[in-house]
Amino acid sequence: MHKNLLKDFLVLLSLGGILLVTGYFISKKIWNADVDLNIKISFEQENKLGEVFNEMILNQYSVIENNAVDSALHIISNRLTRGLDSTPYRYQFVILKSKEINAFTVPGGNIYVFSGLVDFTDSPEELAAVLAHEIGHAEKRHVVSKLVKELSIAAILGSLSGGDPSLIARLLKEIIGNSFDREQETEADKFGLTLLEKAKIAPKNLARFFEKLNSKDLDYNENLEILMTHPHNNKRIENARRYKVGNDFQALPFDINWEKVKMSIR
Amino acid sequence: MEEYYSLPQPEEISEREKEDAMGAYLMMFAAVAIGLPLPIINLIASFIYFYINRKKSKFIHFHSLQSLLSQIPTTIINWGLVVWSVTIFFKDDWKLTPEFWGYAIFAGSATLLYFVYGLIAAYKARQGKMYYFLFFGKIAYEAAFKVDTNSQKIVSEVNKPPF
């Protein structure tokens, strides 16, 4: 009797184990569908896609270029990209003339910031925090994965060969207007916070920027990407606030006259 | 040498007994539906059912105990899922990992599998047949049908013939 029971128990345990392992592998398989992006859309294709978007963006918005802005962006982007260990992208940061408080990333590593956002920041460190978050979206390939969810790979790749302009416009609207899912936002935050630390910029600047967005009664479109999953972002503010820097961390302030930069974009 | 009471055959079991035995499994489904967010209600309900019905007959004793015992693993597994979900909700801002989904698939399929076996057992019980689950079937059989020689001794010592 006892031997039989033990045998039964072992069989039951093995069945449970098989079920658990199977469940894990199924989930891993589904989870890795995103990783398959690397196979479906190469970085070269992503870069080309970025060029198509860039062309359309430049047709829609005017770019702000002046010595103050260019020099500030150069300093900030240099510091951030030096913090990246390795990257398949050549990041370009562009300021677009618009009162919207927003920033977005297109495939290929081009990051666009609206002048309204620059005006909203109190320091170059705050802008760097937003850019670090956007770099997080690019590095984690959130933009491409969002596009793939919206459209078939064939349609996206079709737009590379100068396909349907209305389709590209729709994709662009998707990129600028809609937020990523909460998990991707959290992932981009995490990446951004680590990058800020590596770039010797206090990660608290990201929390400060979020708090400002939350506290001010702004007349904005709630779907703007940079506003994330507002108003559920308290947890994200808390995460950014609680981010622990290493003991040897010492913030290196930017030597930029921020008021002058802000004046130059108005 | 262990002794067991002989098993009742379907024609020897009353309709009422068959229904009560089947009820042990069916009631579990209703209790699971009610207690879905907190997978403990089913276990409590099954325990009450077993406690009330265990003395009605050995056939009912077996089925209600088998139903009760066999719910323990799935209840524990589903509790694990509830605890994990709550932890994710409060601590990780709904960061759902592949490990969590793997466990959710495991818990879901284990519960589904258990439901299927529960339905089969309910059907068999309604027909007045025994149906043994792996491991739990043997324990329930032992508990319901094993002759308790110790209690028999006490009984024989208490009631003695007059001469």
Side-chain angles (χ1 to χ4, degrees), chain B residues 26-39:
Chain B
L26 295 188
M27 190 236 12
M28 160 194 90
F29 292 113
V32 163
I34 297 165
L36 211 54
L38 287 175

Side-chain angles (χ1 to χ4, degrees), chain A:
Chain A
M1 174 69 190
H2 292 295
K3 264 189 180 175
N4 278 338
L5 262 183
L6 185 71
K7 196 177 133 196
D8 271 16
F9 183 69
L10 290 176
V11 172
L12 205 63
L13 215 60
S14 318
L15 274 176
I18 290 168
L19 217 55
L20 187 64
V21 171
T22 311
Y24 177 70
F25 276 107
I26 291 172
S27 131
K28 203 79 177 162
K29 184 92 184 152
I30 297 169
W31 199 265
N32 284 344
D34 272 0
V35 179
D36 287 349
L37 276 176
N38 292 326
I39 303 160
K40 287 172 183 164
I41 296 184
S42 67
F43 285 107
E44 287 75 26
Q45 286 169 323
E46 204 185 317
N47 281 331
K48 279 183 189 164
L49 205 56
E51 284 168 22
V52 175
F53 279 120
N54 187 49
E55 206 175 307
M56 183 156 273
I57 291 164
L58 298 187
N59 280 336
Q60 282 185 25
Y61 297 94
S62 52
V63 176
I64 297 180
E65 283 176 307
N66 60 52
N67 283 343
V69 167
D70 292 348
S71 145
L73 272 186
H74 183 72
I75 295 169
I76 297 170
S77 62
N78 258 358
R79 185 88 80 81
L80 286 174
T81 46
R82 259 185 299 175
L84 292 167
D85 299 328
S86 67
T87 177
Y89 302 115
R90 273 193 62 200
Y91 285 100
Q92 303 267 11
F93 301 90
V94 182
I95 309 276
L96 302 174
K97 183 92 182 161
S98 169
K99 281 184 178 172
E100 285 178 23
I101 301 173
N102 199 13
F104 62 94
T105 310
V106 300
N110 278 9
I111 294 173
Y112 300 87
V113 184
F114 286 135
S115 52
L117 186 141
V118 180
D119 203 21
F120 184 70
T121 55
D122 289 331
S123 64
E125 282 79 8
E126 270 182 37
L127 179 67
V130 175
L131 295 179
H133 169 87
E134 291 301 324
I135 290 174
H137 280 311
E139 290 290 322
K140 299 289 175 185
R141 303 197 85 188
H142 293 162
V143 190
V144 191
S145 84
K146 188 164 84 168
L147 292 182
V148 169
K149 274 177 196 162
E150 292 296 323
L151 280 172
S152 71
I153 302 273
I156 291 170
L157 295 182
S159 64
L160 286 179
S161 50
D164 183 3
S166 66
L167 176 78
I168 304 165
R170 197 184 121 198
L171 287 175
L172 182 61
K173 205 175 162 200
E174 201 63 48
I175 290 173
I176 301 176
N178 287 332
S179 61
F180 292 96
D181 63 41
R182 199 187 279 200
E183 202 168 297
Q184 289 176 324
E185 290 295 358
T186 310
E187 199 177 22
D189 283 351
K190 205 171 164 187
F191 187 94
L193 291 166
T194 315
L195 178 59
L196 287 172
E197 185 184 0
K198 282 184 188 166
K200 296 192 185 306
I201 302 164
K204 278 193 174 57
N205 283 293
L206 189 63
R208 202 170 295 145
F209 179 78
F210 288 163
E211 280 167 349
K212 263 168 51 186
L213 278 179
N214 246 9
S215 63
K216 291 208 175 174
D217 187 21
L218 296 162
D219 182 22
Y220 53 62
N221 173 0
E222 282 199 359
N223 288 329
L224 294 177
E225 193 281 309
I226 196 65
L227 296 170
M228 317 142 298
T229 47
H230 186 89
H232 307 290
N233 52 3
N234 288 340
K235 183 83 184 169
R236 295 177 55 203
I237 294 175
E238 201 183 311
N239 286 345
R241 195 45 72 213
R242 282 186 178 174
Y243 179 83
K244 287 258 182 297
V245 289
N247 290 334
D248 56 342
F249 174 79
Q250 204 165 11
L252 190 66
F254 284 112
D255 185 18
I256 299 171
N257 183 343
W258 199 238
E259 281 311 311
K260 192 178 160 194
V261 172
K262 282 165 75 169
M263 286 296 287
S264 75
I265 57 157
R266 282 174 190 155

Side-chain angles (χ1 to χ4, degrees), chain B residues 12 14 22-23 44-46 59 62 67 93 98 108 111 115 141 148 150 156 158 163:
Chain B
E12 296 168 338
S14 71
M22 176 183 69
I44 296 168
S46 284
F59 184 69
F62 165 77
S67 170
D93 196 23
T111 309
F115 275 15
Y141 172 73
D148 192 345
N150 290 335
S156 61
V158 171
F163 52 85

